[in-house]
Amino acid sequence: MQLVEVAWLKRELGVTSGEGVPLERAQKLIRAAAILAGSNQQVHRETAFRVATCVYELIGCDELPMDQALRVVLSRLGNFPSFATRSDVDAALPHLPFSLVTEELQTAEAHSVTVNEVRLVFTGFQHGLWSKLAAKERIALSAPTSAGKSFVLQNYLVSVYSDKRPLAIVYIVPTRALIAQVAIDLGIFFQDVGAKAKPDVVVIPPDSDTPLPESAIYVMTQERVQLLLASHPKFAAGIVVVDEAQSISDGARGVLLQWVLDDLLSRNSKAQILFASPNVRNLNVFADIFGLEDVKEVSSSEPAVAQNFLTVKILSKTKGSVSIIRTSPGTEAEVAQIEIGHPLASRVEMLVHVAAKLGQRHANIIYANGAADAEKIAMQLSDLFSDREPTAELTALSDLAHEVVHPNYVLGECIKRSVAFHYSNMPTQLRRAVEDAVAKGHVNYLVCTSTLLQGVNLPVRNIFMCKPERGKSHPLDSTDFWNLSGRAGRLRREFQGNIFLVDYARWKTQPLQGPKEAIVTPAIEATLRDSQAQLISVMRNQAQPGRGDDPALETAFGRLYSDFKQGHLTATLARAGFGESAAATEFVDALVAADSQITLAPEVIRLSPNISAHKQERLFGTLRTEIAKGRAQAAQLVPDHPRDADAFESYALILKRCYELILGLDTARGLHRFHALMALKWMRGNPLPQIIDEQIRRDTLAKDRRTIIRDTLELVENQIRFQAVRLFGCYNTLLRHALTLDHFEDLAANIPSLPLYLEVGASDKTMISFIALGLSRVTAMRLNDVSARKDLDMATALQWLRSRQLEQLGLSPLLLDELRSLLAIK
């Protein structure tokens, strides 16, 4: 086996040493692969796949029918999708002996289902998943990125709407960026398969006055689902999909995810639920934490493509010579020694030059330790390829980067050389366009950060890593390493992918030796166990406010207090592993003490789940004091609409109160006024390039423009779309409650939806409707400028779009493509 693997890798790396695999040896290997493919042991099955694909690609079909032999192996493995990787393998069935044809047809029949009158042949894993979904079972699923679970789920969603019965599905994703990806992918899939019935895909929570559609898929983060549940108390979902369900362990957001799921299950105890995760060892955690006894576990660690781990040993940093070593459990074999042709003194130089040498002609991911690192690596790579002439597709993508972010955004120049980067604070539309360009082969080098681990499905041929980190100075742990490595190799495009571990011996950790599967611990359980003293301090209102506050503690407090008031505390503590214990008694005592100080109802407090009930009580008391002074003073508390002339002063005053009473910050420096100004610009729909330009002009520290652009992107994401959303949301909730208590319902009704405006970056109803339809902020802004009416709802906005000559709207090519794609699936 080692002989054929090394020979294949030499061919992959372009090393011509004259070595090959004798035909007689190849015949023996392919026969052995055909036998091993019938085994139930994963190591045998992986060996069969690797050997058969290597022999096929090394020997070809001129002297021996290796296409037929490979098809037999793939059929026995149940890997039917891989037939399409090579056309001769896909067409080989008629040439097989009758007995092998019969064998394949029988195997395929056992893996087949019919959806929307179309016959589909699944892998063994996919068919097992389908069978449980079709039986309406609750499932906890763990599978590699390339296992094809999304394809099964999409087909299942098509099938459940085929009878045209009303059905609401909640599809929870971990990030805002994934909202757009999943929503667009679902729309395209329903369109492509000619679904008999197409549900609405809803991405923004409708307000309480807007009736919900009878059949819809709500693609949202847990924060948006919470708003949906609050504004529509009678809403219930028949199916709940939790994508990247392991994020239930992620601090405050993990606590909220569990809380939201508990609410969904309380509204429909029979709802079908799918917890989908990559590489989770303790799948039983999802049944345990929700008290469910009927969750079926589905687990697969068998990838649909093979992965080769290649350590790159630096032989000479000055001469740039390296040794490529194939690494597998228990064995190592040198494949080749290669002259890179450039010095390899630093980590960045190693990544840039090794990737440039070994990754040409293929799609590649280079892992970067942060946004600045990603830009630096991409710039150096594009410099190496400065002789490349940009294609029309790359020019259009470059123009989009300048239009969406700024004319000086370095991505625009890198893209022209088929090099791109990808990190969390980039606008979602641009990230999606970059991912699409990689998938279509227009971009062959993508430099990315840990953002790629957050559910983005973007497989490539090669991955390059050197001392990878997640966050500042935290080495990438082994489970994230294996998750990222799973993106090497694209199903239906190639049989194998390569992971290059550059200067591996000098990494801080050795993730190859670490566990592949993660142990998921729900965030509320971890908080109760590991931060008991701090949590009790928060409950007893003894914590000192300030930037050091832990949102996980405050969210856990909110959850426990809500359960305490509703009589559910004992069950929640028991599920988290705290039954009748001394710790449980301490928690109860602290909650009793908190209850004596809190006047707000739990249903009010939980609308701002990541802000301590004590802090909310402080802000609420301040508002009640002001309202008691009379109607005129009460009216002054109501935030202005972003279009109002005095909106800035209104927002500055609100943020001042919130910074002092909730964040515990000193407002003497006026940071609240700066953030109020930025929030106002964002809500008014000002273009991001304009906002960045103003930041460049006001810069007094002479930062370089790349840093200012990155800082502004981070400011928008972290301070405006997260912190300001959080604070204005809490303020609005408490103000509405206070005004209602004092019988100023008319004033409460006039409070503008600032959290929504801040999250989407728009305040005109027409622009919000365009975004709710699925368009990006930039496209929605352009269309809003053209539309004379600013009060269009979603239905009339869609009608307006359909009545336009799209070419006359003045949109750039990729914005026009976005609009056409949307209209095609609506």
Side-chain angles (χ1 to χ4, degrees):
M1 176 177 169
Q2 182 170 302
L3 170 68
V4 72
E5 282 189 315
V6 171
W8 185 90
L9 287 168
K10 285 179 179 291
R11 175 179 175 272
E12 176 79 349
L13 297 173
V15 178
T16 54
S17 60
E19 297 179 16
V21 179
L23 285 180
E24 183 179 351
R25 178 69 66 87
Q27 287 178 302
K28 290 181 179 180
L29 286 168
I30 202 74
R31 289 194 189 106
I35 295 169
L36 288 173
S39 172
N40 290 325
Q41 294 187 37
Q42 183 173 326
V43 64
H44 293 163
R45 295 169 62 81
E46 290 181 357
T47 299
F49 181 90
R50 187 181 294 275
V51 168
T53 54
C54 283
V55 168
Y56 162 80
E57 294 196 321
L58 285 168
I59 301 300
C61 305
D62 293 339
E63 298 182 65
L64 292 172
M66 288 299 177
D67 52 345
Q68 299 174 43
L70 178 56
R71 184 172 179 119
V72 171
V73 172
L74 293 175
S75 172
R76 290 179 177 178
L77 291 171
N79 194 346
F80 297 100
S82 286
F83 288 174
T85 308
R86 297 289 183 268
S87 58
D88 54 358
V89 177
D90 204 27
L93 181 62
H95 307 293
L96 290 174
F98 179 73
S99 61
L100 293 177
V101 171
T102 303
E103 176 189 317
E104 180 182 316
L105 292 177
Q106 288 176 336
T107 305
E109 183 62 29
H111 289 75
S112 298
V113 300
T114 300
V115 182
N116 204 40
E117 301 178 356
V118 175
R119 180 174 178 264
L120 302 173
V121 183
F122 289 145
T123 65
F125 158 74
Q126 288 177 318
H127 191 266
L129 174 59
W130 172 269
S131 299
K132 287 181 170 54
L133 286 171
K136 309 298 182 185
E137 293 181 329
R138 290 169 169 163
I139 300 168
L141 165 68
S142 172
T145 306
S146 60
K149 58 182 179 290
S150 296
F151 181 69
V152 177
L153 179 58
Q154 288 170 339
N155 274 287
Y156 178 63
L157 297 183
V158 169
S159 73
V160 297
Y161 284 109
S162 61
D163 59 6
K164 300 184 180 180
R165 293 181 183 177
L167 176 65
I169 295 175
V170 170
Y171 196 128
I172 302 178
V173 295
T175 65
R176 284 193 299 259
L178 280 175
I179 292 176
Q181 176 178 318
V182 171
I184 291 170
D185 288 349
L186 283 173
I188 292 173
F189 191 84
F190 271 80
Q191 180 73 18
D192 288 348
V193 301
K196 295 177 181 178
K198 290 198 299 182
D200 292 339
V201 179
V202 181
V203 298
I204 293 177
D207 60 38
S208 57
D209 297 327
T210 302
L212 301 179
E214 285 193 341
S215 289
I217 303 176
Y218 297 85
V219 182
M220 299 178 178
T221 58
Q222 54 264 48
E223 289 83 2
R224 293 191 185 186
V225 174
Q226 186 214 15
L227 294 176
L228 171 69
L229 296 176
S231 57
H232 294 272
K234 295 183 179 180
F235 170 82
I239 298 174
V240 179
V241 178
V242 189
D243 194 17
E244 303 293 316
Q246 76 281 2
S247 61
I248 203 166
S249 64
D250 293 345
R253 301 193 70 234
V255 176
L256 180 59
L257 174 58
Q258 181 180 333
W259 202 349
V260 163
L261 291 172
D262 274 326
D263 280 356
L264 287 166
L265 287 169
S266 71
R267 295 188 182 197
N268 181 4
S269 61
K270 297 181 179 179
Q272 184 181 19
I273 186 164
L274 171 64
F275 301 96
S277 307
N279 306 324
V280 169
R281 191 183 310 172
N282 60 327
L283 284 174
N284 61 297
V285 68
F286 299 110
D288 294 344
I289 198 65
F290 294 105
L292 303 173
E293 298 179 353
D294 57 350
V295 177
K296 301 296 174 63
E297 296 178 17
V298 179
S299 181
S300 172
S301 56
E302 184 174 321
V305 295
Q307 271 118 25
N308 305 304
F309 288 90
L310 301 164
T311 57
V312 181
K313 182 179 180 180
I314 311 300
L315 300 178
S316 172
K317 290 187 175 183
T318 55
K319 296 180 180 179
S321 57
V322 301
S323 171
I324 311 296
I325 302 168
R326 181 191 63 81
T327 303
S328 59
T331 64
E332 286 188 347
E334 185 177 68
V335 178
Q337 292 189 14
I338 295 177
E339 297 298 325
I340 299 298
H342 294 272
L344 304 174
S346 68
R347 183 186 129 273
V348 169
E349 287 178 348
M350 293 178 195
L351 278 172
V352 168
H353 294 297
V354 169
K357 179 73 173 181
L358 303 180
Q360 293 190 44
R361 308 185 315 277
H362 298 303
N364 307 277
I365 284 174
I366 301 174
Y367 187 87
N369 297 339
D373 194 42
E375 290 186 7
K376 184 177 182 179
I377 293 169
M379 289 172 64
Q380 292 193 19
L381 271 171
S382 62
D383 188 46
L384 289 179
F385 301 127
S386 59
D387 58 341
R388 290 180 174 179
E389 290 296 326
T391 63
E393 292 83 2
L394 293 177
T395 299
L397 185 53
S398 174
D399 292 342
L400 181 70
H402 293 152
E403 181 177 10
V404 170
V405 179
H406 193 267
N408 294 129
Y409 196 36
V410 71
L411 179 64
E413 293 307 307
C414 294
I415 283 287
K416 294 178 181 178
R417 312 304 172 200
S418 194
V419 177
F421 53 78
H422 183 296
Y423 50 74
S424 61
N425 292 330
M426 287 171 58
T428 298
Q429 176 199 17
L430 186 55
R431 282 172 52 189
R432 283 280 295 169
V434 166
E435 291 162 12
D436 188 54
V438 174
K440 291 179 178 177
H442 302 313
V443 169
N444 60 359
Y445 284 95
L446 175 65
V447 189
C448 71
T449 64
S450 59
T451 304
L452 197 69
L453 297 168
Q454 298 173 329
V456 179
N457 186 14
L458 190 64
V460 294
R461 180 66 165 261
N462 303 312
I463 296 175
F464 295 87
M465 291 185 254
C466 183
K467 303 175 185 176
E469 297 178 351
R470 185 172 188 176
K472 294 184 178 179
S473 302
H474 296 293
L476 197 68
D477 65 35
S478 64
T479 54
D480 283 337
F481 169 84
W482 288 105
N483 185 1
L484 179 61
S485 299
R487 288 161 170 78
R490 295 165 293 182
L491 186 62
R492 296 185 180 91
R493 294 185 66 173
E494 56 228 0
F495 295 117
Q496 301 190 45
N498 308 306
I499 302 97
F500 293 92
L501 311 178
V502 183
D503 203 23
Y504 183 68
R506 296 179 182 273
W507 289 19
K508 293 179 181 178
T509 60
Q510 304 292 303
L512 275 175
Q513 284 71 51
K516 296 182 180 181
E517 296 177 324
I519 298 293
V520 173
T521 301
I524 193 166
E525 179 182 326
T527 302
L528 290 171
R529 184 189 64 219
D530 301 334
S531 305
Q532 180 179 337
Q534 298 95 313
L535 178 58
I536 289 175
S537 178
V538 169
M539 290 176 173
R540 291 185 176 277
N541 200 19
Q542 295 168 345
Q544 294 299 316
R547 288 187 182 274
D549 286 357
D550 186 347
L553 295 175
E554 302 201 6
T555 309
F557 172 30
R559 171 65 197 266
L560 295 178
Y561 182 70
S562 175
D563 288 346
F564 171 77
K565 295 292 285 185
Q566 296 175 358
H568 301 155
L569 181 63
T570 301
T572 298
L573 291 175
R575 290 177 191 168
F578 294 83
E580 296 179 3
S581 64
T585 301
E586 283 196 68
F587 291 135
V588 171
D589 290 345
L591 290 168
V592 170
D595 192 40
S596 67
Q597 301 176 44
I598 295 170
T599 64
L600 287 167
E603 56 269 22
V604 175
I605 293 171
R606 74 155 302 173
L607 292 175
S608 305
N610 54 10
I611 296 177
S612 160
H614 292 301
K615 294 179 180 180
Q616 293 191 46
E617 190 73 30
R618 280 202 296 271
L619 178 57
F620 180 67
T622 299
L623 296 176
R624 290 299 303 273
T625 299
E626 292 298 308
I627 292 171
K629 297 177 182 178
R631 181 181 179 86
Q633 192 66 24
Q636 290 295 316
L637 297 174
V638 177
D640 286 347
H641 188 277
R643 292 296 179 190
D644 291 343
D646 296 328
F648 167 68
E649 291 298 339
S650 172
Y651 302 158
L653 181 58
I654 291 170
L655 285 182
K656 185 174 187 294
R657 283 198 174 104
C658 290
Y659 280 22
E660 291 172 347
L661 298 176
I662 293 178
L663 301 184
L665 298 180
D666 181 2
T667 55
R669 295 176 56 195
L671 186 62
H672 61 287
R673 296 183 65 81
F674 171 59
H675 288 162
L677 179 62
M678 296 297 290
L680 179 59
K681 293 175 181 178
W682 184 248
M683 287 189 285
R684 283 180 172 173
N686 289 13
L688 190 53
Q690 178 184 324
I691 294 174
I692 291 172
D693 261 337
E694 291 165 355
Q695 287 298 96
I696 291 172
R697 286 196 296 269
R698 71 185 297 273
D699 175 56
T700 58
L701 299 177
K703 294 180 184 176
D704 67 85
R705 293 193 173 187
R706 285 196 299 119
T707 302
I708 295 173
I709 292 172
R710 282 197 311 274
D711 288 350
T712 306
L713 293 175
E714 182 177 6
L715 175 71
V716 168
E717 285 301 309
N718 295 340
Q719 291 299 327
I720 305 306
R721 301 187 73 193
F722 171 70
Q723 187 72 283
V725 167
R726 172 178 177 244
L727 297 177
F728 276 106
C730 181
Y731 179 90
N732 277 6
T733 296
L734 298 179
L735 178 62
R736 187 176 292 111
H737 183 56
L739 290 171
T740 302
L741 288 177
D742 284 293
H743 308 293
F744 293 127
E745 289 87 351
D746 58 326
L747 294 179
N750 288 328
I751 298 175
S753 302
L754 298 183
L756 173 63
Y757 301 164
L758 287 162
E759 180 155 340
V760 301
S763 52
D764 289 338
K765 185 175 182 179
T766 296
M767 186 171 169
I768 294 172
S769 295
F770 287 141
I771 294 172
L773 286 170
L775 292 172
S776 65
R777 180 178 185 264
V778 174
T779 303
M781 178 183 62
R782 298 276 188 266
L783 296 173
N784 189 56
D785 287 343
V786 174
S787 173
R789 292 182 55 187
K790 307 303 179 188
D791 60 346
L792 300 179
D793 59 19
M794 286 179 62
T796 51
L798 182 59
Q799 183 180 2
W800 184 90
L801 287 174
R802 286 174 171 159
S803 69
R804 302 295 110 176
Q805 290 287 335
L806 301 186
E807 293 76 11
Q808 298 177 5
L809 292 174
L811 299 178
S812 58
L814 287 183
L815 298 188
L816 193 58
D817 287 346
E818 178 193 355
L819 183 53
R820 287 177 177 144
S821 297
L822 174 81
L823 291 175
I825 62 177
K826 288 295 182 180

